[in-house]
Amino acid sequence: MSVYATLCFLAAAAMLITFINSKLGKWQTTIAITAGSLLFSLLIVVAGKNGFTQLQDTAITQLAKLDFEHFLLNGLLGFLLFAGGLGIKLESLKDQKWEITALALGATLFSTFFIGFALYFICQLIGIPFDLIYCLLFGSLISPTDPIAVLAIVKKLDAPQRISTQIEGESLFNDGFGLVIFVTLFSIAFSGQPVSIESVSMMFLHEAIGGIVYGFALGLIFHYLISATNDHAMELLLTIGVPTAGYVFGQMIGVSGPLAMVVAGIMIGNWTRKNGFSKESKAQLDHFWELVDEFLNGILFLLIGLSMLEFSFHGEDWIIMLITIPLVLLARYLSVRLCYVGFNQFRSYNPYSVKILTWGGLRGGLALAMAMAIPAGVWVLPEKQIDVREIILVITYGVVLFSILIQGSSIVPLINKAKEWQNTHQR
């Protein structure tokens, strides 16, 4: 079966789960799709254990052809981040610019090293020789909150404005910084090349700052193109050019495509929306991109659930997974709490802010894609055929599933309490 045929069947499965959930369930769509695909994966594994190995082998072969890592990083990501940027209100972003900067930079850095060092010492205590550099590498890929998961689940729950802006803005902007940390630690761990402060600084300038500048230029070009036509169909078609050719060209010149998509999306969603679109396009812009977002998110979260079929599981993996889930939550809480120690010196906040930012700091497909980039064959327990890639993939998958299924489905009461407090104190 071709990759195109596989995508068609995946899209149909995602739509079927969404339809069934709309009739029978009350879950968020992305949570329902992830849970449904995970259940389907478990049924395939059970069938394989009972002699139906052909079904399991076929599923694994088709998923390998699709290549989740490249499909997300080089395909879906541009569309999903651009759609997320379109929905960001610039006035709210300006109001929370220092908070978002501190969370995206400071909280990510603190969490990376806290998780890395804590995981290393725990592994030494339980007798698993997992080197510090690999523990830090895991910390770097799991610390940034995932904008796709956050926007797909938390944004739709209508949290108080400041909290919503902080969690959305942080997730959209921490990719550039998190990626630099990940690439630096990846180089130390696997390339054998010396890494200096100068090289890391240049990488950050090229990737992150370059991505922001390129995104601004891209937004400017498409603003003038959209403003130059009154054909509302052409105006909407032009917006597709940003996450397609615009994203690919950003990758070709080595800047951060994700950051470029966010910046271009914010520009078009605010400046062009106000001054460049015709009346028909203004009315249709959000509906059009909401449909694209829902469709691609359905495929992505279905793939997250099905990815389990590609992993190997050993007892040691389960032990480390059970350790890392609360560890990642603790690191998230401490990093947010430390930021709020500074924030509270300048303005007052909703008392549920730290709890919502902690529990709503979701991880998703991006962390999983980075984990899949780790090379196989670097052994941790060679006698059991357990390598670094397997451990990091399994524990990342555990954190991602817990994040989507448990955190995503149980954050509603916290947000409702925050809204009640805000309504009471605004009277």
Side-chain angles (χ1 to χ4, degrees):
M1 191 162 60
S2 67
V3 171
Y4 175 72
T6 301
L7 281 174
C8 289
F9 282 117
L10 288 174
M15 286 186 278
L16 178 62
I17 295 172
T18 302
F19 179 78
I20 293 171
N21 184 61
S22 70
K23 296 296 182 183
L24 303 177
K26 296 182 180 179
W27 283 359
Q28 287 283 334
T29 301
T30 47
I31 296 172
I33 291 172
T34 306
S37 61
L38 180 64
L39 179 61
F40 184 63
S41 298
L42 291 172
L43 290 174
I44 291 176
V45 170
V46 171
K49 298 289 185 184
N50 287 277
F52 296 93
T53 53
Q54 187 176 359
L55 177 63
Q56 187 173 0
D57 292 342
T58 301
I60 292 171
T61 301
Q62 293 306 315
L63 286 173
K65 280 184 184 177
L66 193 57
D67 195 344
F68 179 86
E69 176 198 347
H70 290 287
F71 181 62
L72 174 57
L73 297 180
N74 301 325
L76 295 186
L77 188 58
F79 286 89
L80 295 171
L81 292 183
F82 178 71
L86 285 174
I88 295 291
K89 304 302 179 189
L90 197 56
E91 294 79 10
S92 300
L93 199 63
K94 287 179 180 177
D95 179 61
Q96 297 290 297
K97 59 182 180 295
W98 297 118
E99 289 90 337
I100 291 170
T101 301
L103 288 166
L105 301 182
T108 301
L109 189 63
F110 174 87
S111 177
T112 295
F113 284 94
F114 181 87
I115 291 170
F117 279 100
L119 182 60
Y120 172 72
F121 286 117
I122 292 170
C123 285
Q124 301 311 302
L125 284 174
I126 61 177
I128 297 176
F130 203 44
D131 290 348
L132 177 60
I133 188 63
Y134 304 131
C135 295
L136 290 169
L137 190 66
F138 170 71
S140 70
L141 68 88
I142 208 67
S143 290
T145 54
D146 189 301
I148 299 168
V150 168
L151 293 172
I153 297 174
V154 176
K155 183 180 179 180
K156 297 179 181 179
L157 298 178
D158 193 28
Q161 184 61 58
R162 279 186 176 175
I163 298 175
S164 179
T165 302
Q166 284 179 18
I167 198 166
E168 292 168 30
E170 177 202 4
S171 67
L172 285 166
F173 283 102
N174 65 10
D175 288 330
F177 188 59
L179 184 62
V180 170
I181 300 173
F182 176 78
V183 171
T184 302
L185 293 170
F186 188 94
S187 299
I188 296 171
F190 300 111
S191 71
Q193 299 290 331
V195 177
S196 63
I197 294 177
E198 182 182 357
S199 65
V200 172
S201 301
M202 288 304 297
M203 187 188 305
F204 180 76
L205 288 171
H206 193 214
E207 282 273 348
I209 307 301
I212 292 171
V213 172
Y214 172 68
F216 180 81
L218 195 64
L220 199 62
I221 291 168
F222 277 88
H223 168 78
Y224 286 115
L225 287 173
I226 291 167
S227 301
T229 178
N230 289 319
D231 184 338
H232 71 273
M234 178 57 67
E235 289 171 338
L236 292 177
L237 283 173
L238 282 169
T239 62
I240 299 176
V242 180
T244 52
Y247 186 79
V248 171
F249 185 71
Q251 290 181 311
M252 290 172 65
I253 62 176
V255 300
S256 173
L259 279 177
M261 291 304 100
V262 172
V263 173
I266 290 172
M267 288 180 65
I268 292 172
N270 289 271
W271 185 29
T272 313
R273 185 197 297 271
K274 187 180 295 184
N275 303 312
F277 284 108
S278 61
K279 288 184 178 180
E280 293 88 346
S281 295
K282 283 181 183 178
Q284 294 177 6
L285 180 68
D286 291 330
H287 295 298
F288 174 75
W289 276 101
E290 183 180 349
L291 182 61
V292 172
D293 191 48
E294 288 284 345
F295 178 74
L296 295 179
N297 264 319
I299 296 176
L300 172 60
F301 283 87
L302 190 79
L303 283 171
I304 289 175
L306 293 174
S307 294
M308 187 192 76
L309 295 171
E310 297 187 86
F311 304 157
S312 299
F313 293 89
H314 291 86
E316 289 81 0
D317 299 328
W318 289 101
I319 292 170
I320 302 180
M321 183 198 295
L322 292 174
I323 291 168
T324 52
I325 291 171
L327 178 60
V328 168
L329 278 172
L330 176 61
R332 175 67 180 169
Y333 172 78
L334 291 175
S335 61
V336 173
R337 171 58 71 186
L338 286 172
C339 287
Y340 263 80
V341 169
F343 298 166
N344 287 325
Q345 304 302 313
F346 301 98
R347 60 167 69 166
S348 59
Y349 295 88
N350 191 300
Y352 294 95
S353 296
V354 174
K355 292 179 182 178
I356 292 174
L357 283 164
T358 299
W359 202 245
L362 306 180
R363 276 72 175 187
L366 275 178
L368 206 53
M370 285 191 281
M372 287 180 172
I374 294 169
V378 181
W379 302 109
V380 177
L381 294 169
E383 68 278 6
K384 295 186 178 182
Q385 296 290 293
I386 300 176
D387 61 4
V388 170
R389 187 175 192 270
E390 177 187 318
I391 291 178
I392 291 183
L393 265 176
V394 171
I395 61 179
T396 301
Y397 192 68
V399 172
V400 167
L401 280 186
F402 183 88
S403 175
I404 295 170
L405 298 179
I406 306 302
Q407 292 174 236
S409 62
S410 59
I411 196 172
V412 176
L414 271 178
I415 291 178
N416 288 338
K417 287 180 180 179
K419 288 193 284 190
E420 287 174 12
W421 184 92
Q422 183 160 304
N423 293 335
T424 302
H425 287 75
Q426 280 180 344
R427 292 173 184 171

